[in-house]
Amino acid sequence: MVDMLSGLLPPELWRLIVIVLQIVAIVLPLLLAVAYLTYAERKVIGAIQLRKGPNVVGPFGLLQPLADGAKLFLKETIFPSGANKVVFVIAPMLTFILALIAWAVIPFDEGWVVADINVGVLYLFAISSLGVYGIIMSGWASNSKYAFLGGLRSAAQMVSYEVSMGLVIISVLVTVGSLNLSDIVLKQKETVWFILPHFPMFIIFVVSILAETNRAPFDMAESESELVAGYNVEYSAMTFALFFLGEYANMILMSAMATVLFLGGWLPPMDIAPFNWIPGIIWFVLKICAVLFIFLWVRATFPRYRYDQLMRLGWKIFLPFSLFWVVLTSGVLVAFGWLPGQG
Amino acid sequence: MIAALIFYMFAGLAVASGVMVISARNPVHSVLFLILCFFNAAGLFLLLGAEFLAMVLVVVYVGAVAVMFLFVVMMLDINFLKLREGVAQYLPTGAVIGLVLLVELAVVFGGWAFAPDVEALLAAPIPPTDQMTNTEALGRLIYTNYVFLFQASGVILLVAMIGAILLTHRTRTGVRKQKIYDQVGRTAANSVEIRKVSTGGGI
């Protein structure tokens, strides 16, 4: 059937159709995952605080995210009178689009990737470093003190933590010898999951992605107690919903990145009978869920950092340590002749 | 065909956003157009097959440098009307400088000559892309033939950074800074004193 269809259409058109279908096959489950991540967050935090969480709309409150979405959709979009309208509208769209396009290079299973590009890791890094624009633009365009302060804080924070994140990624890349995400996972199949040799880097990476996605305890950009809601305080209805979706999609993306870099992507924990019956994508999703649980767990457990302590942690502790680890990794690889591309 | 169309799209947008950078009234819009320009330049690199350079351009220029620009421009309290005031007055000077630059460029390009073996020189150290990704090719080139130049550029950046810090750093009085080392170093022995207080006597 598929062969017959592909014979009928010109090859370029057929490729276009396939790519569009692939995009839909990623974006729809992603949006569903975002909706139920908000539900999971409220349930997990509820359980940690000995509450029930949402339990009214639908069985076990399962329809709660849909109800929230419908509510946001029906509300009025308000433009503050002093706002710079064009930038004000572009900012949430940018946040949302960036959270989606990064998924193009994530390998869900062996060969299950939309764009298997050579520089996959750099692409992810570039996209995540662009995330700051949505926040800083919304903060400026809102023409409000709280939003502006939130935007500035977030910009400084994301730029600081990117540096140590980059070094963490470099120490993994040096071990693999390729910037392709599938190659990184396949290398972990040959050796071990990188969480074992690079355990301190995994810790730094997880803390850095908390800071990079502006999540508690580093949610300085929207600290309710001082900035009301930070950069998105002037946004309402769908413009707010886009920020919200973008933030949660980014959380899932960063968890996927941690999974690919450190937890062996789609690989089963051991390549023996009961584990390798389960398809790779299930393992991939399970690992993402495990990392996401850390996000929720941390949010319910830790108080918010103070801003100067956040900067100190990023620049004075993570940066020197990850730099040291890059040197150590390269040293070990050279000393034992494990350097990729040498043998 | 499609590649040519995409090239004209990127090139056209790059030039158009470059023009908007200098003509936009609001400096924040200028920086945003600058970012758009960087993006299109990255697109052109991609069309050339230089994917590593394209990504690095986005990471470094868009992700870090332009954020700093935006930061500074947003914090500046600029009176746009005042900025426009002296345009007629400065226009002749600007035009003269522009003309001089144009003549200089014309002189340089007029006398431009390629070495006869330039193609061979360019192609020699770079293996074809089907044998090696251009990230690897670039790495091999930078860290072998050009390692000293690479190190020198790193040192120059370091010196610039130290200079910037030195120029802006000043010791302020009356600031209470958190001294983590002292805090962690405190023990019960040097911070708590236990006294026997007699009833009704006080210390």
Side-chain angles (χ1 to χ4, degrees), chain A residues 19 22-23 26 101-108 111-121 123 180-182:
Chain A
I19 288 177
Q22 281 173 332
I23 291 171
I26 289 178
I101 59 173
W103 285 90
V105 295
I106 299 282
F108 295 93
W112 286 25
V113 48
V114 177
D116 198 16
I117 57 176
N118 285 335
V119 286
V121 176
Y123 174 80
N180 183 307
L181 289 166
S182 301

Side-chain angles (χ1 to χ4, degrees), chain B residues 81-103:
Chain B
L81 285 176
K82 215 170 182 180
L83 211 64
R84 296 261 145 197
E85 251 172 19
V87 170
Q89 192 188 338
Y90 295 125
L91 202 61
T93 327
V96 168
I97 293 174
L99 201 69
V100 169
L101 278 178
L102 191 70
V103 169

Side-chain angles (χ1 to χ4, degrees), chain A residues 183 284 309 315 317 328:
Chain A
D183 285 353
F284 191 68
Q309 290 175 336
W315 287 106
I317 298 173
L328 184 74

Side-chain angles (χ1 to χ4, degrees), chain A residues 84 87 118-119 122-123 125-126 129-130 132-133 136-137 140 148 152 155-156 159 162 179 306 308-309 312, chain B residues 26 28-29 32 35 39 51-52 55-56 58-59 62-63 66-68 70-71 74-75 133 135 140 178 180:
Chain A
N84 190 315
V87 183
N118 285 335
V119 286
L122 269 182
Y123 174 80
F125 193 59
S129 71
L130 293 182
V132 65
Y133 282 109
I136 199 169
M137 277 161 75
W140 177 77
F148 189 54
L152 288 184
V159 170
E162 242 156 49
L179 276 76
R306 212 173 62 199
D308 61 320
Q309 290 175 336
R312 179 177 170 272
Chain B
N26 191 330
V28 174
H29 290 176
L32 293 177
I35 293 161
F39 258 109
E51 72 253 2
F52 181 78
M55 290 304 151
V56 167
V58 174
V59 171
V62 182
V67 173
M68 290 302 143
L70 209 56
F71 227 91
M74 281 179 178
M75 302 290 263
T133 64
T135 313
R140 281 179 193 271
Q178 186 178 17
I180 306 274

Side-chain angles (χ1 to χ4, degrees), chain A residues 56-338:
Chain A
V56 177
V57 190
F60 306 108
L62 273 173
L63 297 178
Q64 184 71 46
L66 303 181
D68 287 343
K71 185 197 78 178
L72 279 173
F73 201 71
L74 294 173
K75 292 229 167 180
E76 182 195 355
T77 309
I78 298 167
F79 293 100
S81 55
N84 190 315
K85 284 221 174 52
V86 180
V87 183
F88 188 80
V89 175
I90 289 176
M93 284 168 22
L94 189 74
T95 306
F96 185 60
I97 291 169
L98 287 175
L100 292 186
I101 59 173
W103 285 90
V105 295
I106 299 282
F108 295 93
D109 200 340
E110 193 156 4
W112 286 25
V113 48
V114 177
D116 198 16
I117 57 176
N118 285 335
V119 286
V121 176
L122 269 182
Y123 174 80
L124 271 185
F125 193 59
I127 298 294
S128 76
S129 71
L130 293 182
V132 65
Y133 282 109
I135 290 170
I136 199 169
M137 277 161 75
S138 65
W140 177 77
S142 304
N143 203 7
S144 141
K145 289 189 192 74
Y146 292 132
F148 189 54
L149 281 174
L152 288 184
R153 280 184 179 191
S154 167
Q157 172 181 340
M158 287 171 92
V159 170
S160 312
Y161 276 82
E162 242 156 49
V163 185
S164 62
M165 244 175 92
L167 287 170
V168 170
I169 291 173
I170 286 176
S171 50
V172 170
L173 292 183
V174 170
T175 327
V176 179
S178 166
L179 276 76
N180 183 307
L181 289 166
S182 301
D183 285 353
I184 292 176
V185 177
L186 289 174
K187 181 81 178 179
Q188 296 181 66
K189 193 175 188 176
E190 284 171 32
T191 55
V192 285
W193 292 5
F194 289 147
I195 188 174
L196 292 178
H198 289 303
F199 186 71
M201 289 296 101
F202 178 69
I203 301 292
I204 289 184
F205 191 76
V206 168
V207 178
S208 296
I209 60 179
L210 287 176
E212 189 79 3
T213 49
N214 289 312
R215 290 286 302 180
F218 305 119
D219 53 346
M220 231 58 66
E222 46 189 299
S223 48
E224 299 91 343
S225 49
E226 22 191 300
L227 295 181
V228 191
Y231 62 92
N232 58 17
V233 68
E234 302 288 348
Y235 283 83
S236 56
M238 277 321 278
T239 47
F240 172 76
L242 285 181
F243 272 123
F244 200 72
L245 289 172
E247 188 189 326
Y248 280 79
N250 259 330
M251 277 167 64
I252 304 178
L253 175 74
M254 289 294 168
S255 309
M257 203 164 155
T259 305
V260 169
L261 291 179
F262 293 101
L263 298 176
W266 64 79
L267 302 173
M270 273 173 284
D271 202 9
I272 51 171
F275 293 121
N276 56 20
W277 290 343
I278 300 168
I281 184 154
I282 307 262
W283 283 119
F284 191 68
V285 170
L286 280 178
K287 288 170 186 173
I288 289 181
C289 290
V291 181
L292 281 175
F293 182 74
I294 298 178
F295 272 89
L296 310 181
W297 192 11
V298 165
R299 176 169 173 195
T301 314
F302 288 104
R304 185 174 294 127
Y305 248 58
R306 212 173 62 199
Y307 197 70
D308 61 320
Q309 290 175 336
L310 170 90
M311 283 297 166
R312 179 177 170 272
L313 183 71
W315 287 106
K316 292 191 178 170
I317 298 173
F318 281 2
L319 181 62
F321 186 71
S322 48
L323 191 60
F324 161 75
W325 196 266
V326 170
V327 176
L328 184 74
T329 310
S330 335
V332 168
L333 288 173
V334 171
F336 289 94
W338 292 339

